[in-house]
C-alpha cells in the first residue's frame, strides 16, 4: 500500500482507543477482536498490505488464536514511521495486581513479505508472524528475545500527503481499505488460488498420462506371453547349439501347428542358459501380470478422465465451492472433488444447496471440509443420523420454511425416520467443532436451536419447494 494512504489512515484513526479481546490469525489477515464488536484487521498479502477497522460481523471459524498476552490490553496510540510503511500500535495491559505492562505491535506493511512483530515496552521481540535469522536476511534478525531493529530500505515516502477524494467513491481511507480487501483482493486471491490449483492438477495429469504410457508398454510386453514361451521352449533343447556372443538363434516354433521357423534374439553378454532364464522370466511375468496390468490401465484411464474433468471445472471457476487450500496436493483436490460429486444434494436456485451425508466419512467431509462458517448444520438429537448441511452461497439468512425442510430431512435420515416427531438441533457451522482425534462424523456444537421435525425424504422436500 502507498505510504500516503497509510498516512491518511493514521490521521483518521491514530487516536483510536479500544480494548483487545482476542487476537486471531487467518490465511490472509491478523484480526484484533475488540470489545464492543469492532475488528482491527491487518491484511497481509504478498501483493498488498494495510489495515482497516471493521464494525461488521466477521466469520472467524477456523482462525488461530495467537498472542494471548495482549488479551484485555488497551490500544493507546497508532503511529506511522517517517521513513517507511511501518506502523506501531502501542498497547498497555493492567493485570489483577494493577501492574501495567506495555506492548507494541510493529506492522511492517511492505510487500512481498509483510510482517507483524509483538514487542514489549522496551522493544524486545516477544513473537513475530515471520521469524528469520541472518541466514534468511543478512541485515537483521527477527527472533524472540532480540531487540527490534527496523529494516533498512531505500524506500522514499510520498512527498505530498493524501487528501480526499478517495478511490472507488470511498468516504474515507478506512472505507477504501475495507472495500479494497473485500471487493478486490479477496476476488484476486480466489483467481490466484484457482490458477495455482490448475497448475497442480495439470502436473498431476501429466504424471497420470506418463504412467498410462508405461502401463501400455507393460501391456504390450504381457500380450506377448506366448511368444516369450515359444522363445524359451525353442532354446531349451538347443542350448548345446547356442554360443555366448551369438546375436540370434533360429529354430522350429514348437507351438506353431505349421512348425514355422522362429528367430530368437539373444543377449550377447549372456551365456545360453542365462538367455533361456531371461525368456522364462519374461513369460512368467507376462502371464501373471496381464490381468493386473489391464486392471491398472482401466484405473489410470478413469483417473485421467476424472482429473481432466476437475481441471476443466477449476479453470471455469465451478470448483470454487470446495474450500480448496493453497497447500492442497493434486490427490487431495481430486479426492475432495470426487467426494463432493457423490454426495446426495439438492440445489435450490443460485442461493442455496442442501447436502446430506449418508455415512460417517461423508458426514465428516461435508461438516469439516465442504462447509463454510455462514452455512447451517442440522442433525437429529439423541438419535444417530446424517449431517445435513444448508449451503448459503451468498451468505444470506435462510427462510424459516427452508430451515424447517432441512430439519425434516435430518429427521428422515436418522434412526427415527418412522417416528412422528423427531428432535432436531441446528446451528451455523461456525459453532460446530470436531474434537481432535475423534472418529469420522463425530462433532460437538453450541449456540443451537432445537425443534421437533416430521421426517421427510428428499423427493417430498423437492416437491414442497416446487423444484
Amino acid at each position: 500500500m502507498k505510504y500516503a494512504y497509510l498516512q491518511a489512515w493514521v490521521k483518521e484513526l491514530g487516536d483510536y482507543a479500544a480494548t483487545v479481546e482476542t487476537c486471531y490469525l487467518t490465511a490472509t489477515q491478523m484480526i484484533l477482536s475488540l470489545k464492543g464488536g469492532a475488528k482491527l484487521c491487518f491484511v497481509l498479502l504478498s501483493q498488498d498490505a494495510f489495515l482497516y477497522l471493521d464494525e461488521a460481523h466477521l466469520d472467524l471459524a477456523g482462525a488461530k488464536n495467537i498472542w494471548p498476552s495482549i488479551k484485555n490490553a488497551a490500544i493507546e496510540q497508532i503511529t506511522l514511521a517517517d521513513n517507511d510503511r511501518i506502523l506501531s500500535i502501542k498497547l498497555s495491559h493492567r493485570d489483577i495486581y494493577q501492574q501495567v505492562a506495555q506492548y507494541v505491535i510493529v506492522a511492517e506493511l511492505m510487500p512481498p513479505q509483510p510482517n507483524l512483530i509483538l514487542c514489549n515496552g522496551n522493544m524486545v521481540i516477544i513473537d513475530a508472524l515471520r521469524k528469520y535469522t541472518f541466514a534468511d536476511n543478512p541485515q537483521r534478525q527477527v527472533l524472540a528475545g532480540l531487540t527490534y531493529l527496523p529494516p533498512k530500505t531505500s524506500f522514499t515516502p510520498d512527498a505530498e500527503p493524501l487528501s480526499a477524494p478517495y478511490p472507488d467513491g470511498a468516504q474515507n481511507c478506512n472505507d477504501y481499505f475495507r472495500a479494497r480487501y473485500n471487493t478486490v483482493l479477496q476476488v484476486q486471491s480466489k483467481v490466484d488460488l484457482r490458477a495455482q490449483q490448475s497448475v497442480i492438477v495439470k502436473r498431476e495429469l501429466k504424471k497420470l498420462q506418463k504412467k498410462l504410457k508405461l502401463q501400455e508398454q507393460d501391456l504390450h510386453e504381457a500380450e506377448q506371453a506366448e511368444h516369450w514361451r515359444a522363445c524359451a521352449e525353442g532354446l531349451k533343447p538347443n542350448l548345446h547349439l547356442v554360443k555366448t556372443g551369438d546375436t540370434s538363434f533360429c529354430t522350429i516354433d514348437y507351438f506353431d501347428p505349421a512348425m514355422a521357423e522362429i528367430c530368437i534374439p539373444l543377449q550377447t553378454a549372456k551365456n545360453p542358459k542365462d538367455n533361456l532364464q531371461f525368456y522364462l522370466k519374461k513369460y512368467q511375468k507376462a502371464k501373471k501380470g496381464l490381468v493386473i496390468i489391464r486392471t491398472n490401465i482401466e484405473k489410470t484411464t478413469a483417473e485421467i478422465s476424472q482429473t481432466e474433468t476437475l481441471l476443466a471445472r477449476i479453470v471455469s471457476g465451478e470448483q470454487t465451492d470446495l474450500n480448496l487450500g493453497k497447500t492442497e496436493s493434486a490427490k487431495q483436490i481430486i479426492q475432495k472433488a470426487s467426494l463432493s460429486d457423490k454426495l446426495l444434494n439438492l440445489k435450490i436456485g443460485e442461493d442455496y444447496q442442501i447436502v446430506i451425508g449418508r455415512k460417517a466419512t461423508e458426514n465428516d467431509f461435508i461438516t469439516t471440509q465442504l462447509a463454510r462458517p455462514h452455512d447451517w448444520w442440522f442433525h437429529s438429537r439423541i438419535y444417530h443420523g446424517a449431517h445435513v448441511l444448508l449451503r448459503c452461497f451468498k451468505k444470506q439468512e435462510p427462510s424459516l420454511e427452508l430451515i424447517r425442510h432441512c430439519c425434516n430431512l435430518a429427521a428422515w435420515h436418522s434412526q427415527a425416520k418412522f417416528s412422528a416427531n423427531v428432535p432436531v438441533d441446528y446451528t451455523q457451522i461456525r459453532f460446530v467443532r470436531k474434537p481432535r482425534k475423534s472418529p469420522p462424523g463425530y462433532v460437538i456444537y453450541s449456540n443451537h436451536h432445537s425443534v421437533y421435525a416430521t421426517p421427510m425424504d428428499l423427493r417430498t422436500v423437492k416437491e414442497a419447494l416446487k423444484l
Side-chain angles (χ1 to χ4, degrees), residues 230-246 248-252 254 264-267 270-280:
C231 290
E233 293 300 328
L235 285 174
K236 191 181 295 184
N238 298 304
L239 287 178
H240 63 285
L241 300 177
V242 182
K243 297 179 181 178
T244 302
D246 288 348
S248 63
F249 178 75
C250 296
T251 184
I252 297 171
Y254 299 109
I264 305 168
L266 300 175
Q267 298 186 50
K270 295 181 181 292
N271 59 39
K273 187 175 180 181
D274 288 341
N275 271 292
L276 172 61
Q277 290 297 323
F278 171 74
Y279 281 111
L280 285 172

Side-chain angles (χ1 to χ4, degrees), residues 231-384:
C231 290
E233 293 300 328
L235 285 174
K236 191 181 295 184
N238 298 304
L239 287 178
H240 63 285
L241 300 177
V242 182
K243 297 179 181 178
T244 302
D246 288 348
T247 57
S248 63
F249 178 75
C250 296
T251 184
I252 297 171
D253 185 353
Y254 299 109
F255 294 94
D256 186 357
M259 302 295 286
E261 186 179 62
I262 181 174
C263 285
I264 305 168
L266 300 175
Q267 298 186 50
T268 57
K270 295 181 181 292
N271 59 39
K273 187 175 180 181
D274 288 341
N275 271 292
L276 172 61
Q277 290 297 323
F278 171 74
Y279 281 111
L280 285 172
K281 286 180 180 178
K282 284 179 76 71
Y283 166 65
Q284 291 296 334
K285 182 180 178 181
K287 181 181 176 182
K288 293 178 181 179
L290 189 60
V291 176
I292 296 173
I293 292 170
R294 283 175 177 163
T295 302
N296 289 341
I297 286 177
E298 290 178 2
K299 182 179 177 182
T300 304
T301 303
E303 288 177 352
I304 288 175
S305 177
Q306 186 182 35
T307 306
E308 288 175 338
T309 302
L310 175 61
L311 179 60
R313 291 168 67 178
I314 288 176
V315 171
S316 65
E318 294 179 22
Q319 213 62 48
T320 56
D321 61 344
L322 280 184
N323 283 348
L324 301 176
K326 292 184 178 180
T327 58
E328 301 266 12
S329 67
K331 289 185 178 179
Q332 287 175 319
I333 294 172
I334 293 168
Q335 184 182 25
K336 276 190 175 184
S338 177
L339 281 171
S340 178
D341 291 339
K342 293 176 182 177
L343 293 172
L344 183 63
N345 68 88
L346 175 63
K347 193 76 177 287
I348 307 171
E350 297 297 324
D351 298 337
Y352 302 100
Q353 183 187 31
I354 299 173
V355 184
I356 302 169
R358 290 165 291 184
K359 52 186 178 181
T361 52
E362 290 185 357
N363 287 340
D364 212 52
F365 174 71
I366 67 172
T367 301
T368 62
Q369 299 188 56
L370 188 64
R372 300 195 178 184
H374 49 267
D375 295 337
W376 289 81
W377 181 87
F378 305 80
H379 191 275
S380 57
R381 184 157 45 94
I382 304 173
Y383 303 99
H384 289 292

Side-chain angles (χ1 to χ4, degrees), residues 104 293 434:
V104 178
I293 292 170
K434 182 176 178 63

Side-chain angles (χ1 to χ4, degrees), residues 146-195:
L146 300 181
T147 301
Y148 170 77
L149 296 174
K152 296 179 181 179
T153 66
S154 58
F155 177 80
T156 302
D158 305 311
E160 295 293 331
L162 182 71
S163 58
Y166 296 99
D168 303 325
Q171 297 298 315
N172 52 56
C173 198
N174 189 72
D175 289 344
Y176 166 61
F177 283 176
R178 182 171 58 245
R180 175 167 173 75
Y181 176 72
N182 291 325
T183 62
V184 178
L185 295 181
Q186 277 196 317
V187 174
Q188 185 60 44
S189 180
K190 289 181 180 179
V191 172
D192 294 342
L193 178 59
R194 190 160 65 238

Side-chain angles (χ1 to χ4, degrees), residues 63-84:
K64 183 181 178 182
N65 194 333
I66 63 169
W67 297 354
S69 57
I70 63 172
K71 183 176 181 180
N72 296 322
I75 297 175
E76 294 185 336
Q77 188 181 25
I78 303 175
T79 57
L80 179 66
D82 294 331
N83 62 337
D84 211 338

